Amino acid sequence: MKYEDFFNPKYKPAPSDTICTFRIEPLDSKRSMQWAAGGVAAESSIGTWTELTTEKPYMKQLAATVFELSNQIARIAYPIELFEPGNLPNIMSSIAGNVFGLGDLKYLRLLDIQLAPQLIKSFPGPAFGIPGIRKVLKVPKRPLVGTIIKPKLGLRTKDHAAVAYSAWVGGCDIVKDDENLSSQKFNPFEKRVIETLDKRDRAEEETGDRKVYLINVTAETKEMLRRAEFVEDHGGRVAMIDILTCGFSAVATLRNQGFNLILHGHRAMHAAFTKLPEHGIAMPVIAVVSRLLGIDQLHVGTAVGKMSEDRQEVETNIRECTQPLQGLLPTLPVASGGLHPRHVPQLIDIFGKDVVIQAGGGIHGHPRGTEIGATAMRQAVDAVLEGQTLSNYAKSHSPLAEALQHFPSN
Amino acid sequence: MKYEDFFNPKYKPAPSDTICTFRIEPLDSKRSMQWAAGGVAAESSIGTWTELTTEKPYMKQLAATVFELSNQIARIAYPIELFEPGNLPNIMSSIAGNVFGLGDLKYLRLLDIQLAPQLIKSFPGPAFGIPGIRKVLKVPKRPLVGTIIKPKLGLRTKDHAAVAYSAWVGGCDIVKDDENLSSQKFNPFEKRVIETLDKRDRAEEETGDRKVYLINVTAETKEMLRRAEFVEDHGGRVAMIDILTCGFSAVATLRNQGFNLILHGHRAMHAAFTKLPEHGIAMPVIAVVSRLLGIDQLHVGTAVGKMSEDRQEVETNIRECTQPLQGLLPTLPVASGGLHPRHVPQLIDIFGKDVVIQAGGGIHGHPRGTEIGATAMRQAVDAVLEGQTLSNYAKSHSPLAEALQHFPSN
């Protein structure tokens, strides 16, 4: 089959088809879009650059088909038989694999995947999801407030645990390791788990609120499982994993293991392939993939702060986390990256109440330190929930007032 | 610490530092490169967008330092204490993590990493490497010739095994699954292993040569290990893994398991982040990472054929696979993607003899089919080794003559 043979605008996708949307830009602008899009369908299903002597009549039904083509946007339907159910690396190797390297294409971006319902059902999805996380934290409705221990690396275990304690008693529900803290000498994993969970217990006693510590178990798979088990054994409720630097196989394995742990997904490295609008894999694809694999809460951008995604992109990520998906639980969106109290009204406007508002510098950078910084962040959330402006609420809440004065309005 | 504090042109990297080279383009061209590069060093070590109340004097020694800055190229030194030895996901989450998403940067590309010798020694490297692969195949010097079963998906097991057999008896050393074949209904894993290895044994008997079958074990980690064990138990000598869609944790786990299997790394998905010169992660980084983790043979591009990398890029990949690296064995570079016999002289010129020349369509697309196609490919290699031009050699070798006639000269 030639590349063009994979284009058929008369094709009606079957309910068992998986539909992918690509943005395609051929290197040679004289090449037809039919040819270029057909090439993507070919290379991600059963075709290649030349005709083969080894084709069999029975396999033509496995060809992917470009069934819509409008400007540079192609929609491609994949027969379900192409994929191994429950094997996400396999699916990604097909639809998001070699195609990006085709020399004939200048740019290629995978914008969206809609897996066939039957394939979706082959994945577990989150074990907790939004309702499960809210139950663990006993916070039925309001946005959750979290912090990342900062500086991201370098604090010794005792100081790390002390910062966590301050954040919890100040009002944070969640305290989180940063993505590149795993088990370095200055703050080794086991010691950190024990000392920080000890502080969590103390903070819970003192505040009467539930608190969780998101401990980064990022490592080689067996070591990752050992660490997750250690967390569970010591009364931890959440394990955090860098989903992209560990990889999809490891995420699947962590979920399959069935620990009684909420899984927090950090997406470090994603912007290497999600950032440019013309090439790579769009973040909503990673969001739905994370949900399928069983990530309970996921970083999805902020639309404000230090990261680069705009509001529309973030809203698409949120939709992939939360929209109905064959009965899979919704993944809780996490806003994280350069946030401080001034961002809260806009964040709640974008995310609604099902969100973790997670601030590192925006809490530990408060002039009066972590505890008051955490209080200021909670006050910003309370202000919005009470329908007040931050500046008005700040009149009777000095931590928030100090934060607003300290952090720039842009 | 502010972003600029991470820039110090007087800093002399210590022998225990890890050095990364980035290409950086700030979003706002009025911003200084010192600030932008300092931001990369900060976010990949101990800094963030604002000053913190939680910094401790003892941790300043952990800061990464921009010590060279020339046009848009920054070299950054990372103290060894920042990383967990042997934990590649952790290292990548630091140096190739959040930095790509910084809103202040238009583009960021990680061009190169030179791990500290002490960190390199925390990784196993290949178990076989080039010498081990040559020993298994009993081919001491010449380029190895491989094929990918094509069509890449869709052949039933019996036909798959028959194509493999034809390729082996025609002259291929290596037959390989394609990256998106794992265990689909039309060609399930266990059946494929048994039937294809059976044909391998027959081909070995008939030819007197060693042959290997690269079976794709890409899956969730535990299933991947189960499949690799199945391969080993049935006399297979190689397992193939999609290193990026499975992920670094899974690759490390597969290597750690200590199977008596050569590990073949396919890089499906790499071009989502390696293809554009201004952003993402350059392929040589993935090459050295694969070698550290223990991949014995790795796809590194072709510089010819259907894929997009140019000669200089491919040569850099080859260097990362083969140059001295603290005693780790060299990884065998694999050229694969749109190749046919006409490409062989150029390939050997680029790669030397330590290469797998792997052709799918260039073998199965031969007008007389797979077996003669494989013979033509081996004849092209023989021609070059004998110092003859292909056209001259083809005069007395009709399979090659037919291939040259069939495949376009460009």
Side-chain angles (χ1 to χ4, degrees):
Chain A
M1 291 174 76
K2 296 175 188 168
Y3 280 177
E4 288 88 346
D5 296 339
F6 291 80
F7 173 70
N8 178 7
K10 287 180 187 160
Y11 180 80
K12 297 253 178 294
S16 62
D17 284 355
T18 287
I19 312 289
C20 293
T21 308
F22 289 94
R23 183 189 173 282
I24 302 171
E25 207 172 320
L27 191 62
D28 178 352
S29 59
K30 283 175 228 143
R31 283 288 200 175
S32 77
M33 277 303 295
Q34 283 90 330
W35 175 86
V40 173
E43 292 282 347
S44 53
S45 62
I46 62 169
T48 191
W49 59 276
T50 188
E51 290 192 77
L52 301 166
T53 58
T54 47
E55 285 180 14
K56 300 282 176 187
Y58 64 73
M59 37 154 296
K60 300 241 163 169
Q61 63 186 13
L62 291 180
T65 305
V66 182
F67 67 96
E68 262 185 47
L69 193 53
S70 167
N71 297 317
Q72 295 174 316
I73 306 297
R75 297 188 75 203
I76 301 179
Y78 297 83
I80 193 159
E81 294 80 8
L82 286 174
F83 308 116
E84 182 185 352
N87 189 338
L88 195 89
N90 165 255
I91 296 172
M92 294 300 275
S93 288
S94 273
I95 61 175
N98 279 358
V99 287
F100 294 109
L102 289 171
D104 288 323
L105 302 182
K106 185 174 180 193
Y107 299 124
L108 178 70
R109 185 160 177 92
L110 176 57
L111 295 169
D112 181 60
I113 56 172
Q114 293 172 31
L115 285 195
Q118 206 178 320
L119 271 185
I120 293 171
K121 287 176 183 162
S122 70
F123 291 96
F128 291 82
I130 295 176
I133 294 165
R134 289 198 170 284
K135 205 171 154 193
V136 166
L137 276 164
K138 299 186 177 172
V139 177
K141 282 188 180 166
R142 72 164 164 78
L144 300 172
V145 173
T147 193
I148 312 105
I149 300 287
K150 299 275 179 183
K152 57 196 303 152
L153 286 183
L155 286 177
R156 293 173 186 161
T157 307
K158 195 182 153 201
D159 294 324
H160 176 101
V163 171
Y165 172 78
S166 299
W168 279 316
V169 295
C172 282
D173 306 292
I174 293 170
V175 170
K176 178 185 148 309
D177 288 346
D178 223 334
E179 75 284 352
N180 50 1
L181 181 62
S182 56
S183 190
Q184 284 90 332
K185 275 189 192 155
F186 54 81
N187 193 0
F189 183 82
E190 285 80 3
K191 196 176 172 209
R192 183 166 86 246
V193 169
I194 292 167
E195 295 194 15
T196 313
L197 288 176
D198 188 58
K199 296 290 186 191
R200 180 205 65 181
D201 292 344
R202 215 176 104 192
E204 287 194 338
E205 273 173 41
E206 289 178 19
T207 62
D209 295 327
R210 276 287 181 96
K211 307 289 182 184
V212 292
Y213 173 38
L214 280 51
I215 310 164
N216 189 0
V217 300
T218 291
E220 172 275 329
T221 322
K222 293 200 167 178
E223 178 62 15
M224 171 193 77
L225 294 177
R226 198 190 64 74
R227 291 182 187 181
E229 195 177 349
F230 189 89
V231 171
E232 195 185 49
D233 287 348
H234 287 77
R237 302 177 186 125
V238 189
M240 162 183 168
I241 175 172
D242 294 348
I243 57 174
L244 297 168
T245 58
C246 284
F248 301 130
S249 292
V251 176
T253 306
L254 185 59
R255 171 67 176 91
N256 286 355
Q257 203 68 9
F259 294 117
N260 186 25
L261 295 171
I262 295 165
L263 301 184
H264 176 96
H266 192 287
R267 56 181 185 153
M269 201 170 94
H270 80 94
F273 56 81
T274 65
K275 190 173 187 179
L276 305 188
E278 64 272 21
H279 189 76
I281 303 172
M283 183 60 206
V285 174
I286 302 303
V288 71
V289 155
S290 302
R291 186 177 174 191
L292 291 167
L293 290 174
I295 292 294
D296 294 291
Q297 46 186 60
L298 177 71
H299 291 232
V300 298
T302 57
V304 295
K306 70 181 173 182
M307 296 310 194
S308 61
E309 291 156 298
D310 69 18
R311 179 165 182 157
Q312 197 191 336
E313 291 170 301
V314 172
E315 285 176 342
T316 310
N317 294 341
I318 296 168
R319 200 161 54 240
E320 294 293 348
C321 285
T322 56
Q323 71 189 354
L325 189 71
Q326 299 299 317
L328 295 191
L329 288 173
T331 294
L332 180 61
V334 176
S336 187
L339 299 181
H340 56 68
R342 278 191 188 274
H343 295 124
V344 170
Q346 209 184 339
L347 287 169
I348 295 179
D349 183 47
I350 297 168
F351 284 80
K353 292 179 189 169
D354 283 333
V355 59
V356 181
I357 298 176
Q358 203 170 259
I363 283 179
H364 312 298
H366 190 287
R368 283 208 284 152
T370 299
E371 183 175 336
I372 305 298
T375 304
M377 202 55 158
R378 273 293 295 277
Q379 290 175 346
V381 171
D382 291 343
V384 176
L385 295 184
E386 292 175 24
Q388 295 195 38
T389 62
L390 295 187
S391 54
N392 197 43
Y393 202 78
K395 286 176 192 161
S396 53
H397 295 85
S398 61
L400 180 57
E402 289 154 3
L404 298 183
Q405 191 165 15
H406 182 73
F407 293 110
S409 60
N410 185 16
Chain B
M1 290 175 78
K2 295 176 188 167
Y3 281 178
E4 288 88 346
D5 296 339
F6 291 81
F7 173 70
N8 178 8
K10 288 182 185 155
Y11 179 80
K12 297 250 176 294
S16 61
D17 283 355
T18 286
I19 312 289
C20 292
T21 307
F22 289 94
R23 182 190 174 281
I24 302 171
E25 207 172 320
L27 191 62
D28 178 352
S29 59
K30 283 175 230 145
R31 283 288 199 176
S32 77
M33 279 302 295
Q34 283 90 329
W35 175 85
V40 174
E43 292 282 348
S44 54
S45 62
I46 61 168
T48 190
W49 59 277
T50 188
E51 290 190 77
L52 301 166
T53 57
T54 46
E55 285 179 15
K56 299 282 176 187
Y58 64 73
M59 38 155 296
K60 298 242 163 167
Q61 63 185 15
L62 291 179
T65 305
V66 183
F67 67 95
E68 259 184 49
L69 192 54
S70 166
N71 297 319
Q72 295 175 314
I73 305 298
R75 297 188 75 202
I76 300 178
Y78 296 83
I80 193 159
E81 294 80 9
L82 286 173
F83 309 117
E84 182 186 351
N87 188 338
L88 195 88
N90 165 255
I91 296 171
M92 293 300 274
S93 287
S94 273
I95 61 175
N98 279 358
V99 286
F100 294 110
L102 290 171
D104 289 322
L105 302 182
K106 185 175 181 192
Y107 299 124
L108 179 70
R109 185 158 175 93
L110 175 58
L111 296 169
D112 181 58
I113 56 172
Q114 294 171 31
L115 285 195
Q118 205 178 319
L119 270 184
I120 293 171
K121 287 177 184 164
S122 70
F123 291 96
F128 291 81
I130 295 175
I133 295 165
R134 289 199 171 284
K135 204 170 154 194
V136 166
L137 276 164
K138 299 186 177 171
V139 176
K141 282 187 181 168
R142 74 164 162 77
L144 300 172
V145 173
T147 193
I148 312 105
I149 301 286
K150 299 275 181 183
K152 57 195 303 150
L153 286 183
L155 285 177
R156 293 174 188 160
T157 307
K158 196 182 152 201
D159 293 324
H160 176 101
V163 172
Y165 171 78
S166 299
W168 279 315
V169 296
C172 283
D173 306 292
I174 293 171
V175 170
K176 179 185 147 309
D177 287 346
D178 222 333
E179 75 284 352
N180 50 1
L181 181 62
S182 55
S183 190
Q184 284 91 332
K185 274 189 191 153
F186 54 81
N187 193 0
F189 183 82
E190 284 80 3
K191 196 175 172 210
R192 183 165 85 249
V193 169
I194 292 167
E195 295 194 16
T196 313
L197 288 176
D198 188 58
K199 294 291 184 190
R200 179 205 65 181
D201 292 344
R202 216 176 103 193
E204 287 193 338
E205 273 173 40
E206 291 178 18
T207 62
D209 296 326
R210 275 288 180 96
K211 306 288 182 185
V212 292
Y213 174 37
L214 281 50
I215 310 163
N216 189 359
V217 299
T218 291
E220 171 275 327
T221 323
K222 293 200 168 179
E223 179 62 15
M224 171 193 77
L225 293 177
R226 198 191 63 75
R227 291 182 187 180
E229 194 176 350
F230 189 88
V231 171
E232 194 185 48
D233 287 349
H234 288 77
R237 302 178 186 124
V238 189
M240 162 184 168
I241 175 172
D242 295 347
I243 57 173
L244 296 168
T245 59
C246 283
F248 301 130
S249 292
V251 176
T253 306
L254 185 58
R255 171 66 177 91
N256 286 354
Q257 203 69 9
F259 293 118
N260 186 25
L261 295 171
I262 295 165
L263 300 183
H264 176 96
H266 192 288
R267 56 182 184 153
M269 203 172 93
H270 79 95
F273 56 81
T274 65
K275 190 173 186 178
L276 306 189
E278 64 273 22
H279 190 75
I281 303 171
M283 182 60 205
V285 174
I286 302 303
V288 71
V289 154
S290 302
R291 185 176 174 193
L292 291 168
L293 289 174
I295 291 296
D296 294 292
Q297 45 186 60
L298 177 72
H299 292 233
V300 297
T302 58
V304 297
K306 71 180 173 183
M307 296 313 195
S308 60
E309 291 156 298
D310 68 18
R311 179 166 182 156
Q312 196 192 335
E313 292 170 301
V314 172
E315 285 175 342
T316 310
N317 295 339
I318 296 167
R319 200 162 54 239
E320 294 292 349
C321 285
T322 56
Q323 71 189 354
L325 189 71
Q326 298 298 318
L328 295 191
L329 288 172
T331 294
L332 180 61
V334 177
S336 186
L339 298 181
H340 56 69
R342 279 192 188 274
H343 294 125
V344 171
Q346 208 184 337
L347 286 169
I348 295 179
D349 183 48
I350 296 169
F351 284 80
K353 292 177 189 170
D354 282 332
V355 60
V356 181
I357 298 177
Q358 204 169 259
I363 283 179
H364 312 298
H366 190 286
R368 284 209 283 150
T370 299
E371 183 176 336
I372 305 299
T375 305
M377 202 57 160
R378 273 292 295 276
Q379 290 175 346
V381 170
D382 291 342
V384 176
L385 295 184
E386 292 177 24
Q388 295 196 39
T389 63
L390 296 188
S391 56
N392 196 44
Y393 202 78
K395 285 175 191 162
S396 54
H397 295 85
S398 62
L400 179 58
E402 289 153 2
L404 298 183
Q405 191 166 17
H406 182 73
F407 293 110
S409 60
N410 183 17

